[in-house]
Amino acid sequence: LFNKGRTRELGLSAALFLLAAVFLSASGSGWGAIACGVAFVLAVWRLKTLWISVPVAVVTGIVIAVNYHRLSWPAQLFSTNSLMYRVELWRKTFGLPEWSWFTGLGLGDWSPYLGNNVNVHNGYIQLYSDTGLLGALALVAAAVVFVRVSLRIMKSRARGVWYCIGIGLTGGFLGGAAASVFEVATYGTFWNPELHYISIPLLWIMAAIFVVSYSRLQANSQYPRYKIT
C-alpha cells in the first residue's frame, strides 16, 4: 500500500516488532487479531485476496483442531482451560452483589470479588461493569462513528501516506475488537500493595491518529492541487 520507501520501511519494522511480541506472548487472541487486521488490509488492497485469506483461515482452523492433542503449540495458543476460566469469570462478574445494569460496578470494583484478577478478560464486559449503561451506549455510538469514518476513508479519492495510515488503523481497530472478546487492552490493575486501576492510552492515541488521517484525506479530496501532508 505504501509507495514511499521510508514509510514502507517504518511500517514493516513496526509489523515485525508486533509479530515478535505476539509470538513471545503465545496469545491465541493476539494471532486472531492480527489475522483479522491483515485480512481487512489485503481486502482493501485487492478484494480478490479474500478468495485466498478466507480458505487459508478455514484450513488453519481445521489443522489446529485436528492436531490439538497431537502437538503442544495448539493447546498453548488456544487453551480450553483458559477459555473455560474466562467464561466462568464473565459469569461471576454479572452475578456480583454490587452489580447494577445502569451504573455497573465502578472502576475496578469487580476485583475484590474475583480474587484480584487483573481484568475480566473481555473488553466489552469490562467496559460495562465499569461504567454501566452509559458506557455501553457510548461504545455503540463510537462503533457507529467508526464505521462511518472508515467507509469514508476507503471511498476517499485521495491516496498517499494518510490513506494507508487510515486503512491500517481501521484494520487495527477491527483486530482489536476481535481480541477484546478474550482480552482487555484499555485498562489494567496492579497491587503495590494496594489496588491501582490504570488506563492504558493506546486506544486513544490510535483514535487521535485515525481522526487526523480522516481529516487530512478530506482536505486532500476537496483541494487536490494542494497535497496536505
Side-chain angles (χ1 to χ4, degrees):
L1 290 176
F2 293 109
N3 55 9
K4 292 186 177 181
R6 184 172 298 179
T7 308
R8 185 187 296 115
E9 293 173 0
L10 180 61
L12 180 60
S13 300
L16 292 176
F17 175 80
L18 176 62
L19 286 174
V22 174
F23 178 80
L24 293 175
S25 68
S27 172
S29 59
W31 284 111
I34 289 177
C36 290
V38 170
F40 170 79
V41 172
L42 291 176
V44 173
W45 176 51
R46 293 286 189 276
L47 187 59
K48 294 181 179 179
T49 58
L50 289 176
W51 291 100
I52 299 176
S53 59
V54 172
V56 166
V58 174
V59 171
T60 301
I62 294 174
V63 170
I64 292 174
V66 171
N67 296 281
Y68 190 83
H69 296 291
R70 298 179 181 178
L71 303 174
S72 60
W73 63 267
Q76 293 177 351
L77 290 179
F78 308 100
S79 172
T80 54
N81 292 332
S82 178
L83 175 61
M84 296 309 299
Y85 167 77
R86 282 168 164 76
V87 173
E88 182 65 16
L89 193 60
W90 303 340
R91 186 188 65 79
K92 288 182 178 180
T93 300
F94 287 106
L96 294 179
E98 301 296 327
W99 176 264
S100 169
W101 66 270
F102 185 75
T103 61
L105 295 167
L107 299 179
D109 286 348
W110 46 267
S111 183
Y113 298 100
L114 300 177
N116 291 338
N117 287 281
V118 175
N119 52 59
V120 299
H121 292 285
N122 183 295
Y124 308 104
I125 297 177
Q126 179 79 58
L127 176 66
Y128 188 31
S129 67
D130 285 345
T131 60
L133 179 62
L134 294 180
L137 292 176
L139 177 62
V140 173
V144 172
V145 173
F146 165 72
V147 171
R148 293 182 62 184
V149 173
S150 297
L151 290 175
R152 291 179 180 178
I153 290 177
M154 287 187 285
K155 295 178 181 179
S156 174
R157 295 178 299 171
R159 290 294 185 270
V161 172
W162 286 110
Y163 173 79
C164 296
I165 291 175
I167 295 298
L169 285 173
T170 300
F173 282 124
L174 293 175
S180 293
V181 176
F182 303 103
E183 301 292 348
V184 176
T186 52
Y187 301 98
T189 56
F190 66 93
W191 292 265
N192 190 28
E194 297 180 354
L195 172 67
H196 297 272
Y197 195 62
I198 60 175
S199 176
I200 302 173
L202 177 61
L203 176 62
W204 312 116
I205 295 174
M206 291 175 60
I209 300 174
F210 184 67
V211 171
V212 171
S213 66
Y214 169 69
S215 60
R216 294 296 179 92
L217 283 173
Q218 290 294 101
N220 285 337
S221 298
Q222 294 176 6
Y223 306 102
R225 292 185 179 180
Y226 305 96
K227 185 176 180 180
I228 300 175
T229 59

